[in-house]
Amino acid sequence: MTGTAPAPFTADDYGARMERAARAAAESGLAGLLVAPGPDMVWLTGYAPTATTERLTLLVLAPGQDPVLVVPTLEAPDAAKAAGASVLSLRDWTDGKDPYAATAALLDSTGRFGISDNAWAMHLLGLQKALPGTSYASLTEALPMLRAVKDAAELELLAAAGAAADATFEEIRKVPFGGRRESEVAADLADLLRRFGHSQVDFTIVASGPNGANPHHEVGDRVMERGDMVVLDFGGLKEGYGSDTSRTVHVGEPTDEERRVHDLVREAQEAGFEAVRPGVACQEVDRAARAVIADAGYGAYFIHRTGHGIGVTTHEPPYMIEGEQQPLVPGMCFSVEPGIYLPGRFGVRIEDIVTVTEDGGRRLNDTTRELVIVD
């Protein structure tokens, strides 16, 4: 892989994100946001605690109020080193003290707050006990589009992650498949993702033969053989941003039916991509891809949504699914990944990450979508 890495995000970048999030909370009728350790906190502050802890750590964002990060005293030095630390205040609490009382002093005692989906129930219950007049909504429910629209620097990072995944596919198609276990090829995929710059590998699905009919097949010890269709789905994080791509290969020459099904999925994936443009509802991407498969008589075998968002995690809003009327906005990034899954026989999935542009969409994955023959 070549090219210069994008400059790291600055305190000003994180400050702008926190301001935007507080403003979005106010526009949604919330008194503020309570952000627990996880992807939202990383995106907003650059701070990622080194270990999961039962001690309360919470970013408090409210309109007209400076951001405050409530942290255990023993973790405050690490929090102070975060890229966004200079544009927020740290409020630490020591063991033996009540962290909920410390946090309650920052909150409207009768307000409704958005809170991270991954916040511990123990912490939410502690806040409710300290402030019985408050109420809460998950961030996915309250602000599903909080991280959905990426800026130019984020798009550059996502493009680099996509290019690394593409390089991984170009290499994996050269390795032997026949006579090897799924787990061995999955290990090859993980090694290649790391070679091309991934710091975190989230998944390496290798689903051969009848296993391909399970979209989330857990890699096993099945030995692949000539005549197998093999679904490859892999991704992770590179410089903090996600990759996720799927291609389907065949060990030896495919049958006419296998080629036909693969061609159908490729046509559906193209239709989903062509539906991407600003102002179009997310569900229209799903409808466009699904119509191709349904019209060919395979509708019952396309058993998942057409796509999901991607950013600092490999799965996040928005979702390309029937009923999602959120309009597409330039800067959104998501997968387009239709599939056909024939129980007991084989499956096919083709997936690219796509970003919305001013007049359409741009793929962040560019490897061939034709059926690749492997040894």
Side-chain angles (χ1 to χ4, degrees), residues 22-53:
R23 187 168 59 250
E27 291 169 354
S28 297
L30 298 171
L33 302 180
L34 307 177
V35 183
D40 290 321
M41 183 173 286
V42 171
W43 184 77
L44 287 163
T45 70
Y47 178 49
T50 55
T52 301
T53 175

Side-chain angles (χ1 to χ4, degrees), residues 69 173 228 375:
L69 182 61
R173 61 185 291 186
D228 278 348
D375 293 330

